[in-house]
Amino acid sequence: MAEFAAKNRDYFNNEAAQYNGKFEKTIQAIMEEIQQRLDWIGVDWASDTSSSDGESSAAASSAAKPSSEKKTVRLLDYACGTGLVSRALAPYLTQSIGVDISENMVQVYNTSAENQGIPTSEMRAIAGDLLDPANADPESLSSPELYDFDIAAVGLGFHHFEDPGFAAKQLSKRLKSGGVLFIIDFLPHAGLGHGHGHGHGHGGKEAHGAVHTVKHLGFSEQDVKTMFEEAGCGEGFEYVVVGKGIVFRKQDGEREEMKRSVFMARGRKA
Ligand SMILES: C[S@@+](CC[C@H](N)C(=O)[O-])C[C@H]1O[C@@H](n2cnc3c(N)ncnc32)[C@H](O)[C@@H]1O
C-alpha cells in the first residue's frame, strides 16, 4: 500500500468508533441533500423516488416483482466510511457494496447494516484499495460482483486520494456502460495554517486532526469535469453546489473553525 494511503487507513482506523457521533449533523445534512437529487443523479432507481420516506427497503421493492423480472440497481460506495452514501440511497437500490481502505470504518458500516437487519447480500462493505497504481487490480477486489455497477459514488473521499484522476478512472472501470459516477466533495478552499506546505498537495490544518490525510484543497467544476471526461464518464456532466456548507470546529474547544462548501457532481459512462 502506498505511504499516503496507509496514513489514511491508520487515521480512519482510529476515527471509526467516533466518526458517526462526531459528524452526526453533517452526515444527516448530506444524506438529505443526496435524497433531494435522486432524479438529478440520473440512475433508473429500483423504487419510486417520489416518496423519499427512507422507509422502503431494497427488499420491499424487489419483493413486489416476480424474480424473472427483478431489476437490479447496484451501488459501489467507494471510500464508504461508515456508509453515508449507501444509507442515503439504500431505499432506491437492490444492493450496496462499500469499499474502504480502513478496516475499522468497514466494520462500523457492516455492524450498522447488521443492526438494521439488512442482509449482507443487500448491503456490505469490504476493506480494500483500488487506488494503488502498483496494484491497480487487487485480488481482494476482483470478484465479478465488484463490476458492472449502476452507480459508483464517493462521499467526501476525493480530497483524501493521492491521484483523484486515477481514482475516477478506476471507478469508471467498475461501472457498466450507462452507469453514473457520482461524487461529493469540497469546493476549492484555502485550508487553515500555513506551516505544512507540500504545495498543491496539502490540506492545511484540518480541524479534526486529519492534516496528514488530506491531499487536495477542494475541486473546481473544471477540475472535476476534466477528471470525469478523462475517465470516460463525462456524458451529461453536471456539478452543483449544495447546502449551506459544513463547519468544522477544532476538537480542543478553540473557537477557530473552518467552513467548507460542498458540491455534488455526476456524469455518465458512455
Ligand atoms: C471523510 S471520510 C468519508 C467517509 C464516507 N464516504 C462519508 O461520506 O462519510 C473519507 C474516507 O476515505 C477513506 N479512504 C481514504 N483513502 C482511501 C483509499 N485510497 N481507498 C479507499 N478508501 C480510502 C477513508 O478510510 C475514509 O473512510
Side-chain angles (χ1 to χ4, degrees):
M1 181 183 297
E3 193 190 332
F4 180 71
K7 283 183 188 162
N8 266 275
R9 183 199 55 200
D10 295 348
Y11 176 77
F12 284 101
N13 272 342
N14 281 325
E15 279 293 291
Q18 304 88 260
Y19 188 86
N20 282 343
K22 208 155 147 185
F23 297 111
E24 192 183 350
K25 282 193 185 147
T26 301
I27 291 172
Q28 192 52 42
I30 295 179
M31 283 177 61
E32 283 167 19
E33 295 289 345
I34 294 172
Q35 290 179 333
Q36 282 165 23
R37 289 179 179 77
L38 294 167
D39 290 344
W40 175 82
I41 294 170
V43 169
D44 183 12
W45 302 108
S47 59
D48 182 5
T49 56
S50 56
S51 59
S52 332
D53 57 10
E55 290 294 318
S56 49
S57 73
S61 69
S62 55
K65 297 173 194 162
S67 58
S68 57
E69 294 171 30
K70 211 150 100 181
K71 172 163 119 181
T72 62
V73 185
R74 303 171 58 245
L75 164 72
L76 170 61
D77 182 358
Y78 193 75
C80 61
T82 59
L84 184 162
V85 179
S86 298
R87 275 180 280 140
L89 294 177
Y92 317 103
L93 299 165
T94 55
Q95 186 185 46
S96 311
I97 301 184
V99 173
D100 199 285
I101 202 164
S102 153
E103 300 85 355
N104 293 355
M105 293 296 252
V106 162
Q107 200 182 341
V108 175
Y109 180 114
N110 284 331
T111 303
S112 120
E114 196 183 322
N115 289 345
Q116 291 170 76
I118 304 173
T120 51
S121 58
E122 285 178 22
M123 190 184 276
R124 73 172 189 288
I126 307 167
D129 182 10
L130 280 178
L131 310 185
D132 182 355
N135 185 17
D137 293 303
E139 182 66 35
S140 61
L141 300 176
S142 63
S143 140
E145 205 189 12
L146 294 173
Y147 285 87
D148 286 329
F149 286 96
D150 298 272
I151 169 167
V154 180
L156 303 176
F158 261 66
H159 61 277
H160 292 281
F161 299 160
E162 181 125 51
D163 182 347
F166 182 62
K169 287 180 188 149
Q170 287 290 86
L171 293 169
S172 175
K173 287 204 302 205
R174 303 290 172 143
L175 283 171
K176 64 185 191 190
S177 330
V180 170
L181 180 61
F182 172 54
I183 76 169
I184 304 164
D185 218 288
F186 301 135
L187 270 75
H189 57 82
L192 267 184
H194 305 286
H196 301 283
H198 295 191
H200 152 260
H202 210 280
K205 192 171 163 192
E206 283 285 311
H208 45 92
V211 59
H212 297 302
T213 69
V214 172
K215 199 77 177 178
H216 304 276
L217 300 176
F219 302 94
S220 69
E221 177 165 358
Q222 191 55 51
D223 293 337
V224 186
K225 187 165 193 268
T226 303
M227 283 193 276
F228 274 46
E229 284 172 355
E230 290 181 351
C233 291
E235 200 178 290
F237 175 82
E238 284 191 47
Y239 173 109
V240 288
V241 179
V242 303
K244 298 179 189 141
I246 301 176
V247 175
F248 292 108
R249 286 192 182 81
K250 285 189 75 169
Q251 257 174 320
D252 54 15
E254 286 180 33
R255 278 169 191 264
E256 189 177 4
E257 55 181 44
M258 300 175 306
K259 189 151 185 221
R260 299 278 181 265
S261 301
V262 176
F263 73 82
M264 291 185 186
R266 55 85 67 210
R268 195 179 294 284
K269 180 171 169 176

